[in-house]
Amino acid sequence: MAIVTSTEMFKKAYAGKYAIGAFNVNNMEIIQGITEAAKEENAPLILQVSAGARKYANHTYLMKLIEAAVIETDLPICVHLDHGDSFELCKSCIDGGFTSVMIDGSHLPFEDNIALTRKVVEYAHDHGVVVEGELGRLEGIEDDVNVSAKDASYTDPDQVEEFVSRTGVDSLAIAIGTSHGAYKFKPGTKPQLRFDILEEIEKRLPGFPIVLHGASSVVPEFVKMINEYGGNMPDAIGVPEDMLRQAASMAVCKINIDSDLRLAMTATIRKYFAENPSHFDPRQYLKPARAAIKEMVRHKIRNVLGCNGKA
Ligand code: G3H
Ligand code: 13P
Ligand code: ZN
């Protein structure tokens, strides 16, 4: 098996009413935890790299780790740039072997978003790479960009056909009420997503793959663990799993998860040090952290995304 684009994955996911997990990766243990779970579940996989991850770990290191994961798992794995903010960044990832890039022009005026996205699509398609665009703005934090609630906006279904046909994108990220990070909904309120908007978009773009960002469930047991072992996280509420299942059964073919990986890793390491305060060998605390990531990803694949057995 090789590093692949998401084209075939999305076709099958749309028809089969499931979604592919797109997990953010930053180091070897995260890549191993995710890919070991996908291997055992025989699941197709998207590993995504943000600009911040690239700065932290270096493009080549991440690419080589992912290549190693392909050899070890024999799975189809798509390597995707998450939230590319410029043509130059997308080009650098395409030239460096990624099979998919996101150009996130969602903060730009409609025409400027189209122009930038179109430019990336032309270069990407010439190189056999697929492109995810975005319409609508999610609340929350990505890298150093903090989108406040007042600047967030739902995707306008009236714009999606024009955006897709004029840019030539292969998938579209939309905003229906999810947000980045661990604090997605106000404590005491009931989480709600605008499934009516998703349904309308599905009608306007039949068969077209939709992407859901900000889709961590903020697994409560990890938040509890962090606070039990010396952390101090305020009430954190994520996207309920039944809503993710509903989205996956509709036009959503790619579900982005990062915060749940961070929580799993941090909670496990905090617990480890609380129980073993004199230890200092990184392998001792990274091993259970990697195992926690694996179990969390396995649960998502099997019980939320429904892509187990689909590789
Ligand atoms: O959507 C953002 C992802 O969680 C990546 O976060 O930019 O801090 O790596 P990052
Ligand atoms: P979460 O913060 O909900 O994990 O979202 C991640 C994401 O959308 C990456 O693009
Ligand atoms: Zn995102």
Side-chain angles (χ1 to χ4, degrees), residues 24 50 53 82-83 142-143 180 258 262:
N24 286 72
S50 68
D82 191 28
H83 293 284
E142 304 149 18
D143 272 335
H180 290 110
D258 187 4
R262 298 177 181 195

Side-chain angles (χ1 to χ4, degrees), residues 6-300:
S6 50
T7 308
E8 283 308 308
M9 292 183 190
F10 287 168
K11 248 185 234 163
K12 288 197 215 160
Y14 199 103
K17 297 185 176 299
Y18 60 88
I20 314 291
F23 298 96
N24 286 72
V25 297
N26 291 280
N27 68 13
M28 182 185 78
E29 284 76 11
I30 295 174
I31 292 173
Q32 288 177 333
I34 298 165
T35 56
E36 282 171 20
K39 182 181 164 77
E40 286 180 18
E41 293 298 322
N42 194 32
L45 194 58
I46 299 173
L47 295 181
Q48 53 188 14
V49 174
S50 68
R54 231 167 147 251
K55 257 185 239 152
Y56 171 75
N58 170 298
H59 180 100
T60 311
Y61 277 94
L62 290 173
M63 199 64 206
K64 294 294 169 194
L65 285 167
I66 296 171
E67 282 170 17
V70 170
I71 293 169
E72 287 298 317
T73 61
D74 203 26
L75 282 177
I77 297 180
C78 168
V79 187
H80 175 76
L81 168 67
D82 191 28
H83 293 284
D85 64 352
S86 67
F87 173 78
E88 290 69 28
L89 173 58
C90 292
K91 180 180 181 300
S92 165
C93 290
I94 293 165
D95 295 346
F98 284 24
T99 47
S100 175
V101 293
M102 174 188 194
I103 177 69
D104 182 355
S106 59
H107 55 289
L108 298 172
F110 188 60
E111 283 300 325
D112 296 354
N113 188 358
I114 289 184
L116 175 62
T117 305
R118 176 77 224 157
K119 189 172 170 193
V120 171
V121 167
E122 276 166 10
Y123 189 80
H125 285 183
D126 276 352
H127 293 78
V129 169
V130 294
V131 179
E132 173 184 325
E134 177 162 342
L135 265 182
R137 284 202 88 183
L138 268 69
E139 192 185 332
I141 301 170
E142 304 149 18
D143 272 335
D144 301 327
V145 184
N146 190 346
V147 182
S148 67
K150 78 171 173 26
D151 292 328
S153 61
Y154 295 122
T155 305
D156 177 356
D158 283 341
Q159 291 185 328
V160 297
E161 286 163 284
E162 185 181 349
F163 185 81
V164 167
S165 67
R166 286 180 59 198
T167 58
V169 285
D170 303 278
S171 62
L172 181 68
I174 59 163
I176 57 167
T178 61
S179 58
H180 290 110
Y183 308 100
K184 301 186 190 298
F185 299 100
K186 288 208 170 57
T189 63
K190 199 170 164 288
Q192 274 182 337
L193 295 187
R194 292 290 304 271
F195 282 104
D196 57 319
I197 294 180
L198 175 57
E199 218 171 278
E200 196 51 44
I201 291 170
E202 194 172 333
K203 272 189 211 147
R204 311 284 181 103
L205 297 171
F208 192 81
I210 299 300
V211 178
L212 198 61
H213 282 247
S216 278
S217 310
V218 189
V219 179
E221 72 189 78
F222 291 133
V223 178
K224 200 167 149 238
M225 238 165 104
I226 286 174
N227 287 337
E228 221 170 282
Y229 293 103
N232 186 15
M233 282 184 71
D235 280 354
I237 302 168
V239 184
E241 290 185 343
D242 60 327
M243 290 190 185
L244 296 172
R245 271 184 224 109
Q246 189 180 340
S249 75
M250 298 169 72
V252 171
C253 293
K254 172 175 180 270
I255 290 191
N256 284 12
I257 296 168
D258 187 4
S259 296
D260 278 337
L261 297 164
R262 298 177 181 195
L263 290 165
M265 189 157 205
T266 302
T268 310
I269 291 173
R270 274 196 178 277
K271 180 171 188 279
Y272 185 87
F273 279 125
E275 290 171 351
N276 304 279
S278 65
H279 286 192
F280 58 89
D281 179 343
R283 292 170 298 186
Q284 288 176 321
Y285 57 85
L286 291 174
K287 194 172 168 185
R290 179 175 61 190
I293 286 176
K294 180 175 172 181
E295 279 323 299
M296 189 273 292
V297 170
R298 184 206 297 284
H299 166 73
K300 300 270 180 196

